[in-house]
Amino acid sequence: MKPFDYVRPATVSDAVAAAAQSGAVYLAAGTNLLDLMKGGVSRPDRLVDVTHLDGLDGIERLADGSLRIGALVSNADLAHDADFARSYPAVAEALLSGASAQLRNAATVGGNLLQRTRCAYFYDTASRCNKREAGSGCDARGGENRTHAVLGWSDSCIATHPSDFCVPLVALDAIVEIEGRGGRREIALDELHRLPGDTPERESVLEPGDLIVAVRLPPAAREFAPHARYLKVRERTSYAFAVVSAAAALRIENGKIAEARLALGGVAAKPWRARAAEDVLKGVAPTADAFQEAAWRALTDAKPSGDNAFKIELARRIVVRALTLAAAGTPARLSALPASPFASTSGAIHA
Amino acid sequence: MPELNLTSAPAHLRHGSNIGQPLTRRDGVLKVTGQATYAADNHPPGMLFAVIAAASIAHGRVTSLDVAAAKRHPGVVDVMTPDHKPPLAIDPEIKTNPFVFRMEALQSSEVRYANQPIAVVIAETLEAATEGAALLAPRYEAQPPLIGLDAGESFVPPVVGVGNPTENHRGDVEAGLVSAETQIDATYETPPQYHNAMEPHAVVAHWDGDKLSVDMPTQGLKLSLARIAELFGIAHDKIHIRSPFLGGGFGSKGLMGGPPVLGIMAAKLVGRPVKLVLRREQMYGPVGHRAPTRQRLRIGADGEGRLTALDHHARTVSSTFDDFYEPAADASHTLYAAPAIRTSHDAVRVNTGTPLFMRAPGEATGSIALESAIDEIAWTCGIDPLAFRLKNYAEVEPITGKPFSSKALRACYDQGAARFGWAKRPLQPRQMRDDAGLLVGWGMGTATFPALMFQAEARAAIRRDGSGVMEIGAHDMGQGAWTALAQIAADAVGLDIGRVAFKAGTSDLPDAGIAGGSAHTATAGAAIHSAGAAVIAKLADLATNDERSPLFGAGNAGVIARDGRLIRRDDESRGESYAEILARAGVAEVEARGTGAPNPAAMEEYAMHAHGAVFAEVKVDPELSQVRVTRMVGAFAAGRIVNPRMVQSQLFGGMIWGLSFALHEEAVTDRRSGRIMNANLGEYHVPVNADVPPLDVITVEEHDPHVNALGIKGVGEIGITGSAGAVANAVWHATGVRVRKFPIRMEELLV
């Protein structure tokens, strides 16, 4: 492994200063970063370990009804927080459908947002990858790409963002709190990740030294709790990334959809908020036809980036299913196979 | 078969006190407490770490390595390259026998496949060696690689598998097809797969002058020893290999590959002990894999649903530099009573590491195609798949006409079907749904694997204190050899298992043969049984020839060994303990050797196979196409079951691998570079716990007087066969979509 500096700052501002230099990266649980380093995909000069910083591991309800989740809260702790799971069931479902129990125990909220793509050509250092090495080319184009992006991709990059967690978060208008050299600021999660365009190496709007310190769910996010689901299609029952996934959340009043939220995962370089589909659903009854229409709207701009045309049809179907499940109501208990099409199968004893 | 048989009574007269008991693993506590020492757990003083630098091109030549940069890195001790390495006594390109495969031992700068070793960096720490390997920054002169089943001109290899004829036929297949009322002509594809043992290939090598000690997982101690001896030009007795535990082998640790040789070379180069462990992605190249296949099956049946012809052709690949051909079509030799059968193979050469035996080589790939095709022809005939198989049940081996040494397949079908509830299966596909609206499908497949035997030797002793010793260089890959063979040993010497010191896993012990071909328990067991009989005969000689013994005059055939005593057959109240016999004779110990080997006369007369029937239920989401197996029942007849617990575990493992074959496993190869793009356990999918339903294994009673003295057929590989086809057929039954390219992908099911 390439030698690197390891620093463990005492305060957030020390951390920001330590990470602002070129070649420095933050280390939280390292569930993605350490693998990248072992594979020579990421070769940082300095690791800034943030795991000992105070005040980043809390889940707190704010006076205005929003919820603030510290960046160092583990995926497992968040998903198993009873109040959290009750208030934001689709987010808990997404968290528990990701990775494995061991990884969820380690992986953090902030790290989840900034995990790198699972594109095999990004990981294979002998391949050309514009994301890994700007301007080198994209070997995923014309390669083995049946799971690659169908939305928002460019000729430079067809990779997807692999997070499950981010999909319901972006549907619920989550806000990201960032500490940077210029102090604290906040942005919508939907604005955190960039589409590749001509600069796929720039995956987010973060500047050097920027540290995600918290994710906030606004007060309105709770109102979807009775009708919120996450659904994920994958190539084995557990421990696999989404081929496609969808988060659907509805606010139903008097038999009509007062407000709909919809986002897709596994389809683009960012969690994909489907606002046009949400608009279709506003004010209509939650019917199969309405959901079909929403699905078509959500995928209007989709196009295959390789051998992956099936993902467009699959994404439409998962939108319909996720909306149908959400309309039926959030189940009282989370399934043993969270977010799985087999969630309701009897005999499912573990994820 | 044993040369020294204690009595004329059945050879297993004494068996029952140990054999047949469902003992738990005798090495289980060591394993769960971390005390079982695997090869990479060894750290001799002064040991250095070696890391392989692997090629990132699939075809071409290394033109430069930045050795200076690697050597400048702190902790790097040396860099082994084609220009800087200890000499070998023979060129590793030379095949000295059919069980020698060509390997890369840095003999040239040529690159023949991606992930081929091109240099080895040796350092004080693993981290330094790893970074040193990265700093080599190889440059290449690359050539276009040959990739896939259509890579080039095909040819007919001289043999497939291990010396099997490339083509076989019986009867007139074309006439059989012409006369058929119904026919199918279907082509199936199976992907490249990699063994992916949990324990990566590892070696700790330590030279002491011209003596060499090696810690290395191997399925063939003596074959490995012989290969090391010829490569390094040293006598067999200068080499000591320890391989007490393997974290899985599945065929990839059977024959000596390049990486452990590189570790031994590295230790020689630096004059210190060296450890070399493959990284997971480095296991996708130099240590074998299951080759991809494309199989065409043409099957005809008459109006009654009786087969008229079965034609099975398999295309496979081998490497550009060596020969191993997956004998996939041979799966059609034994199961179905077609009057005309033809099997044939052809191949192309590609830039890959040489394919090798991988759990049920040929049988697994061939079985999923054959069992899918049988399902298709049964459907075409409008007959239930089980009824169709029974209608075409082979009473003699179809390809040879030989009788079976034993065959309880009918009982497997009956018991498996009853347990599964097969009788309620609708003939039409896409008929069943569960409460949640998921499609439900039921499929079945027939399992078969030959009952093989290799050659082995064992040494048995009875000691003055009445305890026993059994020594054999056997291999525990996780399958339970430490337990099952010790059970055979205990019965062989007429002692409780706790009174027998069972020694295995090192190269100084008698040759146990290779742990492969599902033949290890039978082969090593036969040698153990024979050695036990021989040592008891010696003991009996001491007693029955001694006037002071109550056994005097009973004769060798007149005594029985039981519970540490010899007793008279004609009067069981008369006898004495082993310790008494040895004490009176003033002998510290009696010892004897015995061998196990196939019986050519029996093999000439009988077809010897284990059989089974596997039934699977899958559920498929009708819109989203995700598939999950929800139930599996396997009924297997494999002769004598030495340890039911270990056997059940082996069959579980095989059935899970079959599920994996049908739905998950595939090495994804980039169509341009020839590099494998998912060479890790995150993306090379095998089933996780949530994919594996409750499995139900039935072992059907079967007595086989011909396979070997103990009647053991072996269970290591049969579980995959049948299972893969059962799952694939269940997917068809659930969806009505016949997928002929494996693994079955969700996009194929999106209708």
Side-chain angles (χ1 to χ4, degrees), chain B residues 47-51 73-78 121-130 132 270 272-275:
Chain B
M47 187 189 80
L48 298 174
F49 294 84
V51 167
H73 188 70
V76 171
V77 172
D78 207 345
V121 178
I122 307 149
E124 299 286 349
T125 64
L126 177 61
E127 290 76 8
T130 304
V270 296
R272 287 168 68 177
V274 162
K275 177 191 296 193

Side-chain angles (χ1 to χ4, degrees), chain A residues 1-3 38-40 43 118-121 123-128 138-146 231-241 243 307 310-311 313-314 317-319 321 337 340-342 344-351, chain B residues 56 73-74 126-132 134-135 279 281 434 436 438 619-628 630 663-664 668-673 675-678 681-692 694 745-747 749-751:
Chain A
M1 195 179 282
K2 177 188 164 188
K38 287 179 194 168
R43 292 175 65 82
R118 308 305 296 201
C119 172
Y121 295 89
Y123 281 76
D124 174 32
T125 55
S127 290
R128 297 178 302 157
C138 172
D139 277 340
R141 296 300 309 276
E144 308 309 313
N145 50 23
R146 56 183 281 278
L231 186 64
K232 174 180 178 181
V233 172
R234 56 201 125 165
E235 300 196 282
R236 59 183 169 191
T237 310
S238 178
Y239 191 43
F241 294 97
V243 177
D307 297 330
F310 79 96
K311 286 183 65 166
E313 175 59 19
L314 195 56
R317 294 185 187 190
I318 203 170
V319 164
R321 180 73 66 80
L337 295 174
S340 169
F342 301 102
S344 55
T345 304
S346 59
I349 48 173
H350 43 44
Chain B
S56 61
H73 188 70
L126 177 61
E127 290 76 8
T130 304
E131 182 62 11
L135 291 171
R279 293 166 63 102
E281 69 270 21
D434 73 358
L438 297 169
K619 293 190 177 179
V620 184
D621 188 294
E623 287 96 31
L624 304 178
S625 295
Q626 198 174 317
V627 179
R628 188 167 189 239
T630 46
L663 299 181
H664 297 297
V668 176
T669 308
D670 181 82
R671 62 195 80 172
R672 302 150 303 179
S673 71
R675 279 195 302 279
I676 294 166
M677 301 311 296
N678 59 343
L681 288 179
E683 267 99 354
Y684 181 98
H685 280 186
V686 296
V688 296
N689 277 332
D691 292 304
V692 180
R745 294 292 186 201
M746 59 179 65
E747 55 264 41
L749 301 175
L750 281 179
V751 288

